Amino acid sequence: MRLFHRQFVIVIMMTHEYDYVVIGSGIAGMSFALKVAAAGRVALICKTTLDEANTALAQGGVASVTNLEVDDFEKHIHDTMVAGDWLSDPVAVEKVVKGAPDQIRELIGWGVDFDKKDDGSFDLHREGGHSEFRILHHADNTGFEIQESLIEAVRRNPNIDVYEHHFAIEIITQHHLGKIVTRRTPDITCYGAYVLDINTGNVDTFLAKVTVMATGGVGAVYQTTTNPLVATGDGIAMVYRAKGTVQDMEFIQFHPTALFHPGDRPSFLITEAMRGYGAVLRNLKGEEFMHKYDPRLSLAPRDIVARAIDSEMKLNGDDHVYLDVTHKDPEETKKHFPNIYRHCLELGIDITKDYIPVAPAAHYLCGGIKVDTNGESSIKHLYALGECSCTGLHGGNRLASNSLIEAVVYADAAARHASEAIRHIAIRHDVPAWNDEGTRHPEEMVLITQSIREVGQIMGAYVGIVRSNLRLDRAWNRLDILYEETEKLFKCSKASREICELRNIINVGYLIMRQAKERKESRGLHYTLDYPPVKKD
């Protein structure tokens, strides 16, 4: 503990030591924490509360081969490669697909209750891009069921200390010890993280043998998103600033069917499972249109469906389309999608009788912090799991419901590797406290709020579903101005969640835009007017 006296206020800087510091509390972070808790002490850092994570909003389910009478690993592997536009890493794909059944059993052991039929077999769904019914689910709130089960297990574990309302600002590397670190430094090493206690405003030092990034996605970088607004790409931005490798950021998946209800942020998700159930897309004239874009109709992969909807909206000058499930049995619809039915009904939409207004929204990041098959990043002793990581599984486009299973398969691999690694790692004790000498200006919050809104508008207008060199150049110029302004503000401000999140979304927006500029082709989720897609036989 170090005491700093400034303006008659005593600022207490705490230092915490753990075997593992896990930043993020979704399925990836919590499952890793549970798996390593027997091997050491764990700090679980959560910038809001344990229940506010992308995991809790995942409606669809978890993809895994379970019905061996009709399905097999090779089918799931092939579906994943096709959806990823053959950019997926075959090693990562095989690892996740073949490792899925064991992790499903572990989730069930933690209390996750997947829906079953009367005969006791799993009630499997089928979603876009899947050749078979292989999606395990819990009604239409699978993510919430998983999150609640993991939270209960974490709360019971005496070796896991949960730090809610704590926000990681930076990871600690040699840079903070006064050494020069560049992207060519061969052995950048992570020693923990500087973490803001949001309740007190103090920045504490968390030292660890192993640090894990599980900070989720980047949806809040866009004005329209299905992600919780905590999804500001914090882990990715921190690793990038620490000179770690970040890859495939251009591949942003826009969910085709977010509920169109102006003013909502985030947008309410209408799960892809509804299209697997039989719902069809229509334009505002009531006409089906997917036959013009893909023979798989409404069950085509998400990138194709999102572009088709975007095209229909632009052709007709509309701001949304419809999803129609009125031809299905009303009681069955209510049974399968109770939360969607309830939410829409509150807005005056009876989905058993009315078309559902929908439009695409930023939903999932297929790239992120580059990791190996053990989940370890290019920075030593730093792992990345879940949506903030780039394992290679998704390639150019994520296959529906592959993300939750990827998180637990890689959490398992990272836990095994890290549990062995900590035997040979010592905690670094010569780390200085965070320099907290900034002051807060009265106009700071106004500037931050305006800048966050401006970033969202820039990303939506110029780095959205359809891109071009001109649009990306405009994004570059506008983000560069915001970057310079924000860095000046950060240097003279006391650390706060607001200024740090603004800094992170600008860093992440820049990475998405820059890596989109570097890809000179239309591939997967990256579609550019300057490089039309090559027609495939």
Side-chain angles (χ1 to χ4, degrees):
M1 180 185 298
R2 298 179 62 183
L3 301 182
F4 293 84
H5 298 266
R6 185 172 67 247
Q7 297 180 349
F8 307 106
V9 176
I10 298 178
V11 180
I12 302 175
M13 301 293 197
M14 299 291 293
T15 297
H16 308 267
E17 294 186 10
Y18 285 91
D19 295 299
Y20 308 93
V21 167
V22 181
I23 304 171
S25 59
I27 186 174
M30 285 199 290
S31 59
F32 176 89
L34 288 167
K35 288 170 182 287
V36 299
R41 297 283 298 171
V42 184
L44 187 61
I45 309 296
C46 177
K47 74 173 174 180
T48 53
T49 59
L50 284 182
D51 56 0
E52 188 173 357
N54 261 357
T55 299
L57 299 182
Q59 294 176 348
V62 186
S64 177
V65 174
T66 56
N67 184 358
L68 297 177
E69 292 182 4
V70 297
D71 202 5
D72 58 48
F73 291 145
E74 292 307 314
K75 288 182 179 179
H76 192 179
I77 288 171
H78 183 263
D79 292 344
T80 301
M81 295 297 297
V82 170
D85 209 356
W86 301 98
L87 288 172
S88 300
D89 180 351
V91 175
V93 175
E94 183 174 347
K95 179 184 182 70
V96 171
V97 169
K98 292 187 175 179
D102 283 344
Q103 296 310 308
I104 292 295
R105 285 189 282 272
E106 189 144 15
L107 286 172
I108 293 171
W110 283 329
V112 177
D113 181 22
F114 293 112
D115 288 354
K116 293 184 178 179
K117 299 178 181 178
D118 293 338
D119 63 4
S121 63
F122 291 118
D123 179 22
L124 301 174
H125 279 177
R126 181 184 173 194
E127 297 181 351
H130 287 273
S131 57
E132 301 290 349
F133 286 77
R134 66 168 68 98
I135 313 301
L136 292 87
H137 63 94
H138 179 88
D140 59 349
N141 63 342
T142 307
F144 181 80
E145 167 69 12
I146 292 173
Q147 189 81 0
E148 289 297 295
S149 299
L150 292 179
I151 288 172
E152 188 174 338
V154 164
R155 296 284 193 200
R156 290 196 307 263
N157 196 302
N159 278 350
I160 302 175
D161 292 337
V162 178
Y163 291 85
E164 293 181 309
H165 302 291
H166 280 67
F167 180 53
I169 298 174
E170 298 287 10
I171 61 170
I172 301 167
T173 66
Q174 297 99 311
H175 166 74
H176 298 95
L177 305 178
K179 299 180 181 179
I180 296 175
V181 177
T182 70
R183 298 197 186 280
R184 295 184 178 181
T185 301
D187 290 314
I188 305 174
T189 304
C190 180
Y191 306 114
Y194 291 116
V195 178
L196 170 69
D197 182 338
I198 295 172
N199 291 322
T200 66
N202 297 333
V203 178
D204 297 336
T205 304
F206 280 75
L207 301 177
K209 296 178 180 178
V210 163
T211 305
V212 177
M213 281 296 178
T215 50
V218 302
V221 173
Y222 288 83
Q223 188 65 30
T224 305
T225 179
T226 63
N227 291 180
L229 301 187
V230 295
T232 49
D234 304 322
I236 295 168
M238 281 187 275
V239 170
Y240 175 71
R241 289 195 295 266
K243 316 301 181 187
T245 301
V246 177
Q247 181 175 303
D248 292 348
M249 294 293 290
E250 68 270 33
F251 296 127
I252 300 289
Q253 188 175 79
F254 288 79
H255 199 288
T257 55
L259 180 66
F260 178 76
H261 189 250
D264 284 358
R265 192 169 190 261
S267 300
F268 184 77
L269 180 66
I270 306 297
T271 174
E272 188 162 344
M274 187 168 279
R275 286 185 281 127
Y277 171 70
V280 295
L281 288 159
R282 300 181 183 276
N283 59 29
L284 296 197
K285 300 174 186 176
E287 303 166 338
E288 293 188 39
F289 57 83
M290 279 305 302
H291 60 278
K292 297 189 294 184
Y293 300 95
D294 195 277
R296 289 165 290 187
L297 306 179
S298 294
L299 279 174
R302 290 179 179 177
D303 58 326
I304 294 172
V305 177
R307 282 197 298 272
I309 293 173
D310 183 72
S311 175
E312 287 293 308
M313 288 163 52
K314 288 175 178 174
L315 283 172
N316 298 307
D318 299 326
D319 51 11
H320 67 283
V321 297
Y322 290 125
L323 189 64
D324 173 17
V325 74
T326 59
H327 55 285
K328 301 291 287 186
D329 179 79
E331 295 307 313
E332 280 296 306
T333 298
K334 294 176 189 178
K335 176 184 175 182
H336 285 296
F337 309 104
N339 293 289
I340 293 175
Y341 175 76
R342 189 181 310 115
H343 184 86
C344 289
L345 199 61
E346 291 173 353
L347 301 176
I349 304 165
D350 183 342
I351 67 173
T352 66
K353 301 175 183 177
D354 306 321
Y355 293 167
I356 307 169
V358 295
H363 181 64
Y364 189 86
L365 171 67
C366 293
I369 303 162
K370 181 61 180 171
V371 297
D372 61 18
T373 54
N374 295 313
E376 192 168 19
S377 74
S378 61
I379 297 176
K380 291 177 64 177
H381 310 159
L382 177 69
Y383 296 74
L385 303 171
E387 191 173 350
C388 72
S389 71
C390 180
T391 66
L393 171 69
H394 306 304
N397 180 30
R398 174 178 70 106
L399 180 65
S401 290
N402 263 0
S403 52
L404 293 179
I405 198 62
E406 175 199 36
V408 289
V409 167
Y410 269 84
D412 183 71
R416 294 174 187 273
H417 189 263
S419 295
E420 176 62 30
I422 64 166
R423 300 180 184 180
H424 314 289
I425 302 173
I427 289 179
R428 189 94 185 222
H429 290 104
D430 56 344
V431 174
W434 177 260
N435 183 350
D436 200 34
E437 296 181 354
T439 59
R440 184 173 298 227
H441 299 289
E443 73 276 11
E444 185 176 308
M445 280 306 302
V446 175
L447 293 173
I448 291 171
T449 302
Q450 290 175 339
S451 296
I452 288 175
R453 189 181 301 114
E454 191 172 348
V455 173
Q457 292 168 345
I458 290 169
M459 296 301 292
Y462 305 127
V463 202
I465 296 173
V466 177
R467 303 161 180 173
S468 69
N469 289 337
L470 177 61
R471 295 175 190 178
L472 293 174
D473 285 343
R474 286 184 176 178
W476 180 291
N477 293 333
R478 285 154 177 76
L479 279 177
D480 188 55
I481 294 170
L482 286 172
Y483 170 79
E484 294 293 339
E485 292 175 350
T486 301
E487 286 302 304
K488 290 178 182 177
L489 185 62
F490 180 78
K491 289 176 183 177
C492 68
S493 298
K494 191 180 189 317
S496 68
R497 172 181 166 179
E498 293 81 11
I499 184 64
C500 291
E501 283 189 329
L502 172 59
R503 193 176 181 224
N504 290 341
I505 67 169
I506 290 174
N507 284 170
V508 169
Y510 161 77
L511 285 167
I512 296 168
M513 174 270 304
R514 193 195 77 190
Q515 294 186 6
K517 284 174 66 72
E518 292 171 352
R519 184 168 287 278
K520 308 297 184 183
E521 62 178 347
S522 285
R523 195 82 179 271
L525 296 164
H526 173 66
Y527 189 91
T528 172
L529 298 175
D530 293 289
Y531 301 95
V534 177
K535 291 186 178 181
K536 299 174 183 176
D537 296 332

